[in-house]
Amino acid sequence: ENATYCLTPAGLNVGMLGFENALWVLTAIGGAWDVAGTSSALDSLRHDMDSQDWSDEDDGESDGTANALPAAAEEAQKLLSTICEMEPAEFAGYVSVLVSENNRGGGMGQDLLDQFRLLTATQQRGIQSALLTMDRLKEVQQIHAVGTGCNFDIGSVEVATAWADGCSWSDALKLSGLPPGDLV
């Protein structure tokens, strides 16, 4: 237990952001999971859903062997792995999901699915993994009567990614569909 950890410059910047629910942000970047197994009912539900025969085809994924890691740890590991695959601009867009206020009418009238389709494949995988971890965290918070929410708004991902990739402020404004005072 004498491990030493160093923060990267990006980690320092993320660490300076203010969050309504810091545990959610830590979980959303793969840094925490339900080690106590409080959310095991969620695992049971997911297992039941996964074991349903939704088609006549065999996908060949289940070999009947038990996993070495608890489901929560596997989810966190998959999320962290996906985040590590992100380019810096993609990661900036991903972090915007966690810190954005609810969309103020931007996104040029796009619905959630249209916004999701504009993201890179790595960002899409990261968001899908984060949604699984958010379900688990909300389950644990509900069981323990902790009422903190989890910010999750993908409306700013495309703009944050473009901005971090070097687009101009005027292009970011156009991309967002927001008035200048609302884009931060």
Side-chain angles (χ1 to χ4, degrees):
E1 294 287 326
N2 291 331
T4 303
Y5 299 93
C6 297
L7 288 176
T8 64
L12 289 171
N13 290 332
V14 169
M16 289 189 293
L17 297 172
F19 303 107
E20 177 186 332
N21 184 346
L23 179 57
W24 157 235
V25 175
L26 181 61
T27 303
I29 58 172
W33 59 89
D34 178 15
V35 296
T38 304
S39 61
S40 61
L42 185 61
D43 296 331
S44 184
L45 173 66
R46 287 181 182 165
H47 174 73
D48 290 347
M49 290 180 71
D50 289 344
S51 65
Q52 291 293 318
D53 187 11
W54 300 104
S55 70
D56 293 334
E57 298 177 24
D58 181 15
D59 64 7
E61 288 185 27
S62 178
D63 61 2
T65 60
N67 293 331
L69 291 175
E74 281 187 28
E75 289 168 6
Q77 190 176 49
K78 180 179 178 185
L79 176 58
L80 185 57
S81 174
T82 302
I83 288 171
C84 288
E85 292 174 16
M86 290 181 184
E87 296 294 324
E90 290 175 315
F91 183 65
Y94 178 78
V95 169
S96 76
V97 168
L98 309 175
V99 299
S100 293
E101 295 177 13
N102 287 334
N103 195 323
R104 297 182 184 184
M108 300 185 291
Q110 297 170 335
D111 66 15
L112 185 62
L113 188 55
D114 289 337
Q115 291 174 358
F116 186 76
R117 288 180 178 145
L118 293 172
L119 307 180
T120 68
T122 308
Q123 286 172 321
Q124 289 176 353
R125 285 193 317 274
I127 286 171
Q128 288 170 330
S129 292
L131 286 170
L132 291 173
T133 61
M134 180 171 53
D135 283 347
R136 187 174 301 282
L137 178 62
K138 284 183 171 185
E139 176 78 9
V140 171
Q141 288 179 330
Q142 182 179 359
I143 289 169
H144 293 287
V146 177
T148 52
C150 299
N151 285 352
F152 200 89
D153 179 15
I154 70 167
S156 61
V157 177
E158 182 186 20
V159 176
T161 302
W163 174 252
D165 207 25
C167 84
S168 70
W169 185 250
S170 61
D171 287 342
L173 278 172
K174 289 177 192 171
L175 193 58
S176 74
L178 293 170
D182 284 348
L183 182 63
V184 268

